[in-house]
Amino acid sequence: MLGIPRRYSHFVFGIIQSGLTSLIAAGIASFPADNAMTFVAHWMVSWLIAWAAMLPIVLLAAPAIRAFALLLTRDERDPRAGRQA
């Protein structure tokens, strides 16, 4: 592998996640194209624009989303997990 230090894993995750998400969304948005060449050309341009827009949003929002998700969930090893409410 590349051997990127683990302290940068947040950025690596953000790059991969935003790239994959924008790739899929741009492909769906480009689907009504007339032919395959138009589809691919439109998809790639749309993807690059979407990725450029989403990357900073994902990198900035991910810590807040992760913290919110932790607030909404509980640790399965929590001793209170087995009790009935």
Side-chain angles (χ1 to χ4, degrees):
M1 298 314 279
L2 292 176
I4 299 169
R6 180 92 9 109
R7 67 179 174 264
Y8 299 117
S9 65
H10 170 74
F11 298 107
V12 174
F13 173 86
I15 290 167
I16 294 168
Q17 191 271 333
S18 63
L20 182 61
T21 303
S22 59
L23 181 72
I24 293 167
I28 292 167
S30 301
F31 190 69
D34 294 336
N35 60 49
M37 290 305 294
T38 303
F39 170 75
V40 171
H42 189 265
W43 188 8
M44 290 299 106
V45 170
S46 297
W47 173 59
L48 288 173
I49 293 168
W51 196 7
M54 288 309 300
L55 182 58
I57 293 169
V58 167
L59 291 177
L60 295 172
I65 294 168
R66 190 172 295 121
F68 186 57
L70 288 173
L71 285 173
L72 295 174
T73 59
R74 61 175 167 73
D75 188 358
E76 292 183 45
R77 293 174 281 153
D78 188 346
R80 296 172 295 178
R83 293 185 196 166
Q84 294 290 332

